[in-house]
């Protein structure tokens, strides 16, 4: 199981390493699935589709430079405390503010079994963030 997680994280981080200055062309959320299309700097298109029940979406002005950013994938068990097989929080005000800014607050109380990674699209702030389970089917391809 650890191998799956490592492969999932590495695969997405490798793809996402090419997403600097990408333009988010469209995104939609329906039936617990988020679909995204981004144009990469070189003109290639990144298509992403993940199952998720937890989604944060900032009101994005649909024009450049507001839609320019990059994707990132965070393995939750590497950065969030776990207690009784659920993500938990400990800390004071500053830690709460950091968790909110990074959108890690989205995972507090969620089961570690069903929620393994946080995927974000950011520029000066996080515009989109969603929680995924690496065991669920997904699409992440560059065409």
């Amino acid at each position: 199981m650890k191998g799956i997680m490592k492969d999932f994280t590495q695969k997405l981080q490798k793809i996402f390493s090419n997403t600097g200055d990408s333009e988010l062309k469209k995104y939609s959320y329906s039936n617990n699935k988020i679909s995204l299309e981004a144009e990469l700097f070189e003109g290639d298109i990144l298509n992403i589709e993940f199952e998720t029940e937890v989604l944060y979406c900032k009101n994005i002005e649909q024009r450049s430079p507001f839609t320019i950013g990059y994707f990132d994938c965070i393995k939750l068990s590497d950065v969030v405390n776990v207690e009784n097989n659920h993500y938990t929080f400990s800390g004071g005000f500053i830690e709460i503010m950091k968790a909110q800014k990074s959108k890690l607050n989205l995972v507090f109380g969620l089961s570690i079994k069903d929620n393994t990674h946080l995927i974000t699209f950011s520029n000066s702030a996080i515009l989109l963030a969603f929680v995924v389970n690496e065991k669920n089917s997904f699409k992440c391809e560059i065409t």
Side-chain angles (χ1 to χ4, degrees):
M1 188 160 111
K2 291 230 184 271
I4 293 172
M5 244 187 236
K6 194 169 182 77
D7 292 345
F8 179 88
T9 306
Q10 287 177 341
K11 178 181 180 178
L12 288 184
Q13 285 176 338
K14 183 176 186 211
I15 291 171
F16 290 168
S17 70
N18 299 318
T19 64
D21 292 331
S22 293
E23 183 169 4
L24 187 60
K25 291 293 193 179
K26 58 184 170 181
Y27 61 94
S28 64
Y29 181 73
S30 176
N31 298 323
N32 290 345
K33 275 196 176 162
I34 185 161
S35 300
L36 305 157
E37 181 182 293
E39 184 177 340
L40 304 182
F41 186 71
E42 315 82 44
D44 292 334
I45 300 295
L46 173 65
N47 287 298
I48 297 174
E49 188 174 284
F50 281 95
E51 292 177 33
T52 185
E53 293 181 6
V54 181
L55 170 68
Y56 165 83
C57 180
K58 186 173 182 176
N59 188 12
I60 305 169
E61 197 168 326
Q62 289 297 301
R63 62 183 176 87
S64 186
F66 304 104
T67 55
I68 303 295
Y70 62 93
F71 286 93
D72 196 13
C73 174
I74 299 163
K75 183 178 167 189
L76 293 170
S77 62
D78 286 349
V79 295
V80 181
N81 295 333
V82 174
E83 190 176 314
N84 296 326
N85 294 319
H86 289 77
Y87 297 107
T88 186
F89 177 78
S90 64
F93 178 77
I94 291 172
E95 289 79 12
I96 292 171
M97 293 296 103
K98 286 180 182 177
Q100 195 282 328
K101 184 177 181 184
S102 65
K103 300 305 172 217
L104 289 172
N105 61 319
L106 296 173
V107 306
F108 297 149
L110 298 180
S111 163
I112 62 170
K113 184 178 65 125
D114 300 327
N115 305 278
T116 59
H117 292 76
L118 178 71
I119 296 176
T120 60
F121 180 76
S122 312
N123 49 34
S124 60
I126 293 177
L127 304 177
L128 281 170
F130 51 97
V131 181
V132 300
N133 183 340
E134 73 196 3
K135 294 179 194 125
N136 292 348
S137 62
F138 69 94
K139 179 173 90 172
C140 188
E141 59 191 22
I142 297 174
T143 54

